[in-house]
Amino acid sequence: MEIDFEKQGGLVPAIVQDNVTKNVLMLGYMNKEAYETTIATGKVTFWSRSRKCLWTKGETSGNYMDLVSIKSDCDNDTLLVKVNPHGPACHLGTDTCWGETNESNPLLFLTELQDFINKRHEEMPEGSYTTSLFKDGLNRMAQKVGEEALEAVIEATNGTNERLVYEASDMFYHLIVLLASKGLRIEDIAKELQTRHNPNWHKH
């Protein structure tokens, strides 16, 4: 990766993003030494424009940022730094430098769960319930989706909201397993629903 440090006087902006929540946490600046230190240590390090020295995020507060990945943009003069943060990003104590709460969108977990189930499908570890579903075959997986959907319907009509969420969660899990067995993902369902949201969509 070639980074153009000279374009802006030896510094490049470094946009820091939480690898899990995808929220932008802060903006810092790196020179070549800060970049190389970040790569070497796995701890995000910047160049302080006010103090004229390197500083590793968290060296005084303990709120380190573990590096996940780093890449430059199309002009090679801005960095996107994905991290796993240990505590607030801002020196004022807020999660981000814009005062926002760094919370994960629960919908993103569906992708994480899909990845986990796909890994189970690839590795088939013994003792895993998910592995047992794959071994039972397509018909059994489809049957489980139907059973869990029926239980969700029962809770919706005669149960509590808490039990409805519980049974609907079972249904979603077994649906993702079924999708994985067919080489599909939950995102394929989301794409279909997105297509249907278009006013010009017609049922076929």
Side-chain angles (χ1 to χ4, degrees):
M1 180 169 61
E2 294 293 331
I3 304 171
D4 190 350
F5 289 103
E6 299 309 315
K7 184 184 292 186
Q8 301 182 69
L11 296 177
V12 295
I15 301 166
V16 181
Q17 180 185 39
D18 189 301
N19 187 56
V20 176
T21 67
K22 310 306 178 187
N23 294 324
V24 175
L25 303 178
M26 63 174 292
L27 171 68
Y29 290 86
M30 291 185 182
N31 60 7
K32 186 176 182 181
E33 186 180 1
Y35 169 78
E36 291 176 345
T37 301
T38 297
I39 297 297
T41 65
K43 303 291 185 186
V44 177
T45 300
F46 301 103
W47 174 261
S48 172
R49 293 172 296 168
S50 58
R51 290 178 289 160
K52 306 299 181 184
C53 65
L54 292 180
W55 64 281
T56 298
K57 179 64 180 175
E59 61 189 2
T60 56
S61 66
N63 299 327
Y64 291 100
M65 292 180 171
D66 293 336
L67 178 68
V68 175
S69 66
I70 186 168
K71 59 183 179 180
S72 62
D73 70 345
C74 55
D75 292 324
N76 296 319
D77 60 5
T78 302
L79 299 175
L80 177 62
V81 185
K82 295 186 179 181
V83 304
N84 290 323
H86 295 271
C90 184
H91 70 286
L92 296 178
T94 54
D95 287 351
T96 79
C97 287
W98 292 270
E100 299 171 330
T101 301
N102 184 26
E103 294 180 343
S104 177
N105 183 340
L107 289 176
L108 294 177
F109 177 70
L110 291 178
T111 293
E112 185 178 340
L113 179 60
Q114 177 80 69
D115 291 339
F116 176 82
I117 290 174
N118 283 2
K119 188 174 181 180
R120 282 285 194 261
H121 194 206
E122 293 169 4
E123 299 177 352
M124 299 292 277
E126 292 296 330
S128 163
Y129 174 66
T130 306
T131 296
S132 70
L133 288 173
F134 287 126
K135 287 184 175 180
D136 286 342
L138 180 62
N139 288 345
R140 178 56 179 158
M141 285 183 279
Q143 180 184 0
K144 285 296 295 181
V145 174
E147 290 174 358
E148 300 300 343
L150 178 58
E151 291 180 9
V153 170
I154 292 172
E155 293 299 336
T157 54
N158 294 297
T160 65
N161 286 349
E162 182 180 3
R163 290 300 303 176
L164 172 58
V165 170
Y166 184 90
E167 297 300 345
S169 298
D170 281 348
M171 182 187 69
F172 265 94
Y173 161 76
H174 286 90
L175 175 61
I176 294 174
V177 171
L178 179 63
L179 291 171
S181 73
K182 302 288 288 184
L184 298 170
R185 294 181 57 93
I186 194 68
E187 290 90 344
D188 294 313
I189 307 301
K191 289 176 184 177
E192 173 65 19
L193 291 173
Q194 186 178 36
T195 299
R196 294 185 186 189
H197 190 61
N198 189 316
N200 296 321
W201 178 82
H202 296 288
K203 185 175 181 179
H204 52 268

